[in-house]
Amino acid sequence: MKVAIMKGFGGPEVFEIETRPDLIPSNDQVLIDVKAAGINRPDVFQRKGNYPAPSGTAPDIPGLEVAGVIISIGPDVKKYKIGDEVMALLPGEGYATQALVSEQVCLHKPKNISFEEAAALPETIYTVWDNIFDRGQLKAGEHVLIHGGTGGIGTVSIQLAKLFGAVVYTTVGSQEKVKVAEELGADIAINYKTQDFVEVLKENGVDVILDSIGGDYFGKNIEVLKEDGRLVYINAMKGPKVELNIMKIMQKRIVLTGSTLRGRGKDFKSKLTKEIETNILPLIENGKFKPIMSKIFPFESVSDAHTYFESPDQFGKIVLKMNS
């Protein structure tokens, strides 16, 4: 198999394509002939040396999501068979033409989407379902604020929150991205470079906030949340250290939570997989929801893909397409 390995930490140029031995499934694992692999921000963090791979995962091969065809199965596999088209969430090693994963964290690929679209889904839909709907407990009719609305997580969050009946607000970084967010279903899209989201939303208030920004957004989030609001963190791009006024948390009865997904165990991810099969796959199959992709790169151009990922113009998801 071919793999995109990091020869060290640094910029996109650290990637090289190598050949390594084919993989062999055991226990409940399926072996996937990978047709496409998604790129996510944790891959960039890993490339820069800021996000080590979990124990048991190759430290030099990023990649958290793939789509492809099962070509071999372990002896304990019950749900899938050779030839099935699937998409899967991985703890790493997704930048490769083969991937091993437990069948418990595989999803059947809907027939109405491509392998590239399927590869853009697992990391985002697992993250969004866990944090907005499980942790955030978003309900129909509530108001949700999604920071970074045109990123991979953001484009999925806007669509799903709207489909489940929420009023959706989002922050983005340009007027062009305001239009993208509104087309996805955002009721109000705020250009954070020209507007203060607190000023725009303070009269409406917000029930749930999904934040990947951190830093000075923390106090602003507290300000705009309604009583019994839920603030959910999945990253802290502007810094993890914030000033917390405990009295405001108490007075508004705010629930403050957050999570990371990559290092969670198979049992937790298996539970999420079942919830996604029930709640999200039907929306994909009936055409109500699909991933938004800005660009597809050949697998050998992984360095170019990472360069584009870090550019201000990109939106939605970026995917690597294998030659096989």
Side-chain angles (χ1 to χ4, degrees):
M1 67 171 182
K2 290 184 178 180
V3 298
I5 67 162
M6 304 183 308
K7 285 294 187 178
F9 298 127
E13 70 280 356
V14 301
F15 285 108
E16 291 186 7
I17 305 298
E18 279 191 0
T19 299
R20 291 191 176 178
D22 289 345
L23 303 173
I24 300 173
S26 61
N27 302 319
D28 70 345
Q29 291 179 324
V30 299
L31 177 61
I32 301 171
D33 176 25
V34 176
K35 303 298 184 183
I39 294 178
N40 294 278
R41 193 160 296 280
D43 303 345
V44 175
F45 293 155
Q46 182 174 343
R47 189 198 78 215
K48 293 180 177 180
N50 301 325
Y51 194 5
S55 176
T57 303
D60 58 348
I61 310 174
L64 303 177
E65 56 187 354
V66 299
V69 179
I70 293 176
I71 54 175
S72 183
I73 60 174
D76 300 328
V77 171
K78 299 180 176 63
K79 184 177 177 181
Y80 294 96
K81 64 183 184 302
I82 293 172
D84 284 348
E85 297 181 349
V86 295
M87 49 192 186
L89 181 70
L90 308 173
E93 303 180 34
Y95 291 6
T97 57
Q98 291 183 2
L100 275 180
V101 63
S102 165
E103 68 169 346
Q104 295 184 43
V105 289
C106 270
L107 294 162
H108 283 288
K109 182 185 82 65
K111 296 184 183 302
N112 61 329
I113 64 172
S114 66
F115 283 112
E116 292 78 22
E117 289 172 318
L121 282 169
E123 172 69 9
T124 49
I125 58 178
Y126 278 75
T127 298
V128 170
W129 187 260
D130 179 34
N131 288 284
I132 291 184
F133 296 97
D134 280 353
R135 291 184 173 278
Q137 290 292 299
L138 181 66
K139 300 175 183 64
E142 289 192 321
H143 295 206
V144 60
L145 170 59
I146 298 154
H147 289 302
T150 55
I153 296 293
T155 53
V156 169
S157 298
I158 290 172
Q159 291 184 81
L160 290 180
K162 196 67 179 176
L163 285 168
F164 281 90
V167 178
V168 181
Y169 310 132
T170 188
T171 57
V172 297
S174 70
Q175 286 306 116
E176 290 76 17
K177 290 183 177 182
V178 165
K179 294 177 183 177
V180 171
E182 289 175 344
E183 289 171 358
L184 289 172
D187 295 279
I188 298 178
I190 302 160
N191 182 347
Y192 65 78
K193 292 183 179 178
T194 60
Q195 296 174 288
D196 182 344
F197 72 85
V198 176
E199 292 300 314
V200 176
L201 300 178
K202 63 183 180 182
E203 290 188 13
N204 295 338
V206 178
D207 299 288
V208 179
I209 298 177
L210 182 69
D211 189 17
S212 59
I213 309 300
D216 62 356
Y217 271 39
F218 179 79
K220 293 181 176 183
N221 289 334
I222 298 296
E223 192 69 25
V224 81
L225 276 169
K226 297 179 182 180
E227 293 181 352
D228 297 305
R230 287 85 74 194
L231 175 54
V232 187
Y233 274 93
I234 56 172
N235 204 341
M237 298 291 293
K238 293 181 72 173
K241 294 184 178 180
V242 299
E243 185 174 321
L244 169 62
N245 186 330
I246 294 174
M247 289 304 299
K248 288 187 177 181
I249 298 286
M250 295 165 59
Q251 288 164 353
K252 289 189 176 183
R253 302 179 300 279
I254 289 170
V255 174
L256 175 60
T257 184
S259 73
T260 58
L261 177 62
R262 186 179 188 183
R264 299 297 297 270
K266 186 170 71 174
D267 289 346
F268 174 79
K269 291 178 181 177
S270 174
K271 168 183 169 293
L272 269 184
T273 300
K274 293 173 184 176
E275 293 176 359
I276 288 164
E277 285 175 333
T278 300
N279 295 288
I280 297 181
L281 282 193
L283 297 175
I284 301 171
E285 291 165 350
N286 64 23
K288 291 183 178 180
F289 163 67
K290 68 183 299 183
I292 305 300
M293 293 188 295
S294 58
K295 207 159 187 178
I296 299 170
F297 286 83
F299 178 55
E300 290 76 10
S301 300
V302 58
S303 293
D304 294 336
H306 268 242
T307 298
Y308 180 70
F309 186 97
E310 295 187 275
S311 73
D313 297 330
Q314 68 94 5
F315 61 91
K317 292 299 290 283
I318 299 166
V319 172
L320 300 172
K321 181 177 182 178
M322 312 304 173
N323 291 326
S324 59

